[in-house]
């Protein structure tokens, strides 16, 4: 029950459309309720008249959209008596699972691809006390292993094949419609394992049951990890956007359904295009997201310029994770390293005067 104006997390807010009862113990860290920010400087660069909003999911408690699904998955795992959860992850799911398990007082096992997860995500899983299992393989291998081992051990899988994850994540669509006061024309997001596009589509179709209103769903992938563009699963996904370094998306059929039923499409971006979009958002809007997240904005700008998204459209892009998750990639794309100078007024004056 909400008390005063205090926000008690997304399950509390959206309990009418989520599978919980009044007696369910909610495992929440205040996730959801993220800002929908209108871009002020970037749209003009397209030369077209469009409204672009970003849903800044990096402002969730562990810095990614995963918290929306994790609060539900862990709440239900605890309700069902589970003492341990397990997931495969490119990083963010492991950070989120670790945090919510800590909050619930249960154990988290996370399988991650050795050397292929961003530093901040690893730090989170370690700090929250998860059992971290690095595998000499990629996310897809980890996912298969998780499914196999769950048949032999009393652990609850909290990847997005867990239906409660999708239920929690659909709340992002509800928040967007509430904030905009209408359904956007286009909803664009990066696609990896395809749980998030599935969840958004579920949210929009639930809300649009009577009116039939829904956005056109557009999914962007990294060129080296683009099974939806290839039309089949791929074996060796590779991209700088490690969050979406996935070749065998688990929600394959559901993502195709979202694309077809909404009249949308999939497209891909090179690593260079993804990083350029990440930098653009940082430099022009003050919004720092991780590389995978920027795929949505990079793709949208291209599709506005080429006319696939028409003038007058209201577009929402999901920024799935915070830029601080991956400091290495961020720093490596900034040309100039800050130089150390003498701690004197003269030296500081010299350093700024020719830059004004
Ligand atoms: N963006 C970020 C930052 C992600 O971490 C992920 C997925 C996606 C986009 C793609 O979302 O899988 O629902 O299509 N990360 C997962 C993980 C796989 O393990 O953290 P999706």
């Amino acid at each position: 029950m909400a008390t005063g104006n205090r926000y008690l997390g997304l399950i509390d807010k959206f309990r009418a459309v989520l599978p919980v009862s009044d007696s369910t113990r909610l495992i929440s860290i205040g996730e959801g309720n993220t800002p929908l920010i209108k871009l002020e400087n970037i749209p003009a660069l397209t030369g077209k008249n469009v409204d672009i909003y970003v849903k800044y999911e990096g402002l969730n408690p562990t810095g990614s959209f995963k918290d929306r699904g994790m609060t539900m998955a862990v709440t239900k795992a605890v309700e069902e008596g589970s003492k341990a959860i397990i997931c495969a992850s490119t990083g963010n799911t492991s950070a989120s699972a670790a945090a919510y398990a800590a909050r619930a007082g249960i154990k988290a096992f996370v399988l991650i691809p050795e050397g292929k997860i961003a530093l901040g995500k690893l730090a989170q899983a370690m700090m929250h006390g998860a059992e971290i299992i690095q595998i000499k393989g990629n996310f897809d291998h980890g996912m298969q292993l998780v499914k196999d081992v769950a048949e032999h051990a009393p652990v609850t899988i909290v990847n997005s094949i867990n239906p409660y994850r999708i239920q929690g994540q659909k709340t992002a669509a509800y928040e967007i419609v509430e904030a905009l006061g209408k359904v956007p024309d286009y909803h664009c997001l990066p696609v990896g394992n395809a749980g998030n596009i599935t969840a958004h589509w579920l949210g929009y179709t639930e809300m649009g049951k009577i009116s039939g209103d829904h956005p056109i769903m557009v999914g962007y992938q990294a060129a080296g990890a683009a099974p939806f563009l290839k039309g089949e699963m791929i074996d060796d996904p590779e991209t700088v956007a490690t969050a979406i370094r996935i070749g065998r998306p688990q929600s394959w059929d559901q993502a195709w359904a979202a694309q077809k039923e909404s009249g949308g499409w999939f497209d891909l971006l090179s690593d260079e295009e993804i990083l350029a979009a990440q930098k653009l958002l940082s430099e022009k809007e003050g919004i720092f997201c991780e590389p995978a997240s920027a795929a949505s904005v990079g793709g949208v700008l291209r599709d506005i310029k080429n006319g696939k998204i028409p003038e007058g459209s209201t577009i929402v892009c999901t920024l799935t994770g915070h830029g601080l998750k991956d400091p290495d990639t961020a720093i490596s794309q900034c040309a100039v390293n800050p130089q150390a100078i003498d701690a004197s007024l003269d030296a500081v004056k010299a350093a700024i005067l020719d830059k004004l």
Side-chain angles (χ1 to χ4, degrees):
M1 180 73 90
T3 324
N5 287 327
R6 204 172 141 225
Y7 179 76
L8 297 174
L10 63 83
I11 301 180
D12 180 64
K13 173 156 185 195
F14 293 102
R15 60 169 67 241
V17 292
L18 291 172
V20 288
S21 73
D22 286 347
S23 61
T24 306
R25 174 188 162 205
L26 305 187
I27 311 299
S28 165
I29 326 177
E31 58 294 312
N33 201 23
T34 56
L36 185 69
I37 306 168
K38 189 171 184 182
L39 298 187
E40 290 184 347
N41 304 313
I42 289 179
L45 304 177
T46 65
K48 305 274 179 74
N49 175 26
V50 285
D51 286 336
I52 309 176
Y53 293 83
V54 292
K55 180 73 168 157
Y56 197 7
E57 291 288 274
L59 295 188
N60 275 296
T62 76
S64 86
F65 73 95
K66 304 288 178 177
D67 296 343
R68 288 184 185 277
M70 205 55 73
T71 185
M72 267 307 300
V74 176
T75 289
K76 294 305 279 188
V78 168
E79 186 171 64
E80 288 160 11
S82 178
K83 297 277 183 283
I85 58 173
I86 191 167
C87 66
S89 181
T90 56
N92 281 325
T93 301
S94 67
S96 188
Y100 283 83
R103 182 78 164 168
I106 61 172
K107 210 168 183 54
F109 295 96
V110 303
L111 271 74
I112 54 173
E114 186 187 22
K116 289 289 184 182
I117 87 165
L119 201 62
K121 305 174 188 179
L122 186 59
Q124 290 178 290
M126 291 171 81
M127 281 300 282
H128 293 306
E131 295 287 338
I132 300 173
I133 302 161
Q134 290 213 65
I135 59 161
K136 296 180 192 306
N138 61 28
F139 171 86
D140 303 310
H141 301 126
M143 192 65 246
Q144 189 55 52
L145 287 165
V146 161
K147 288 199 273 188
D148 291 345
V149 84
E151 288 181 13
H152 302 278
V155 287
T156 303
I157 299 176
V158 294
N159 283 103
S160 54
I161 55 173
N162 178 327
Y164 299 125
R165 278 277 311 276
I166 304 294
Q167 285 292 323
Q169 282 171 216
K170 78 181 179 188
T171 60
Y174 281 82
E175 287 181 15
I176 288 164
V177 173
E178 185 180 295
L180 273 180
K182 63 173 182 178
V183 175
D185 299 314
Y186 293 84
H187 188 119
C188 308
L189 69 181
V191 173
N193 210 22
N196 211 22
I197 192 167
T198 300
H200 279 81
W201 185 238
L202 176 65
Y204 283 123
T205 47
E206 276 183 8
M207 280 181 286
K209 255 189 198 126
I210 295 165
S211 65
D213 262 11
H214 65 74
I216 289 172
M217 303 297 293
V218 185
Y220 294 106
Q221 299 213 282
F228 285 104
L229 276 298
K230 202 162 184 226
E232 61 185 27
M233 309 277 183
I234 62 166
D235 280 334
D236 295 304
E238 201 48 83
T239 168
V240 69
T242 50
I244 50 174
R245 188 172 167 270
I246 294 172
R248 301 183 161 271
Q250 295 296 311
S251 297
W252 180 255
D253 293 338
Q254 298 91 317
W256 281 116
Q259 178 261 315
K260 292 202 178 92
E261 291 167 19
S262 75
W265 62 87
F266 293 109
D267 208 342
L268 55 78
L269 288 89
S270 68
D271 280 0
E272 293 69 32
E273 287 175 299
I274 289 172
L275 294 178
Q278 185 197 18
K279 195 93 198 298
L280 192 70
L281 271 166
S282 302
E283 287 186 348
K284 299 283 182 211
E285 303 283 355
I287 298 170
F288 192 20
C289 67
E290 66 173 287
S293 312
S296 57
V297 170
V300 157
L301 294 180
R302 195 172 60 199
D303 284 335
I304 292 168
K305 284 184 204 153
N306 67 22
K308 214 164 170 184
I309 296 178
E311 291 215 57
S313 297
T314 298
I315 304 152
V316 172
C317 295
T318 306
L319 297 184
T320 45
H322 203 289
L324 290 172
K325 293 270 192 177
D326 190 353
D328 295 324
T329 306
I331 290 171
S332 70
Q333 51 164 325
C334 297
V336 195
N337 264 328
Q339 269 194 342
I341 57 164
D342 284 344
S344 70
L345 178 59
D346 279 349
V348 174
K349 263 165 60 184
I352 66 172
L353 284 181
D354 64 339
K355 302 224 168 63
L356 286 170

